[in-house]
């Protein structure tokens, strides 16, 4: 079955410029074209683009997606590499959550300001002097 880029976009909920971008960076192969140079896609591209979209929704970086897609080309291979890529991503997500929690705590402490004058405002003081932050990194 052949799909136009618009049909592919509708089926996968991926915008047309994003589809073109994925083609440019090699996540999607250059599509077959009609005599009028219109792109045509198959069900395989629909599945591949759905994979890419879902991986992006889960926060995987483009290079990790490229590696995962490459690994899917050999379905009998051990999935250890897939596990390692996903574990690395999970570790990065956990680190980001920890940094966001520290950031939340810092902002909560800052907004405890009692709304006195600007010259006595805790928010302004902390923004002006990082040493007053409770955390080194956020």
């Amino acid at each position: 079955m052949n799909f136009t880029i618009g049909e592919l976009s509708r089926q996968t909920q991926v915008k047309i410029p994003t589809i073109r971008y994925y083609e440019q960076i090699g996540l999607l192969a250059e599509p077959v074209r009609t005599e009028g140079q219109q792109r045509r896609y198959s069900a395989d591209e629909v599945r591949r683009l759905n994979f890419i979209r879902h991986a992006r929704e889960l926060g995987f970086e483009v290079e990790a997606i490229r590696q995962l897609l490459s690994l899917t080309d050999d379905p009998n291979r051990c999935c250890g590499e897939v596990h390692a890529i996903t574990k690395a991503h999970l570790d990065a997500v956990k680190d980001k959550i920890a940094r966001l929690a520290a950031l939340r705590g810092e902002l909560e402490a800052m907004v405890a300001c009692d709304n006195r004058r600007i010259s006595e405002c805790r928010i302004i003081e902390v923004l002006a002097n990082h040493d007053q932050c409770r955390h080194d990194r956020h």
Side-chain angles (χ1 to χ4, degrees):
M1 190 176 238
N2 284 330
F3 302 101
T4 65
I5 195 168
E7 291 165 338
L8 179 66
S9 174
R10 281 187 292 283
Q11 283 199 20
T12 61
Q13 299 176 349
V14 176
K15 294 180 180 179
I16 291 172
T18 303
I19 294 170
R20 289 183 180 134
Y21 171 71
Y22 289 158
E23 289 171 7
Q24 288 173 351
I25 64 171
L27 287 182
L28 287 175
E30 186 69 29
V32 173
R33 292 185 183 252
T34 65
E35 286 184 27
Q37 295 302 308
Q38 190 178 51
R39 291 171 163 90
R40 292 293 180 183
Y41 302 89
S42 71
D44 287 341
E45 280 84 26
V46 172
R47 282 189 292 278
R48 187 173 180 96
L49 189 52
N50 277 326
F51 181 102
I52 295 166
R53 180 184 48 80
H54 193 212
R56 291 296 292 148
E57 288 172 352
L58 290 170
F60 282 93
E61 297 293 330
V62 168
E63 194 50 43
I65 295 170
R66 185 183 315 281
Q67 291 172 326
L68 291 167
L69 286 167
S70 174
L71 291 167
T72 64
D73 291 338
D74 187 0
N76 293 321
R77 190 173 178 171
C78 174
C79 69
E81 289 179 71
V82 172
H83 183 271
I85 292 166
T86 305
K87 176 75 169 74
H89 180 54
L90 175 60
D91 291 344
V93 167
K94 286 178 178 179
D95 180 60
K96 188 173 188 175
I97 289 170
R99 285 184 287 119
L100 287 170
L103 176 60
R104 181 187 61 213
E106 195 65 53
L107 291 170
E108 286 171 344
M110 289 170 66
V111 298
C113 176
D114 61 6
N115 296 314
R116 292 182 279 176
R117 294 185 307 245
I118 294 290
S119 64
E120 301 169 342
C121 180
R122 169 86 177 131
I123 297 170
I124 299 298
E125 289 174 10
V126 172
L127 290 174
N129 184 353
H130 190 275
D131 291 337
Q132 293 190 29
C133 286
R134 298 184 319 182
H135 301 89
D136 292 337
R137 191 174 150 220
H138 38 263

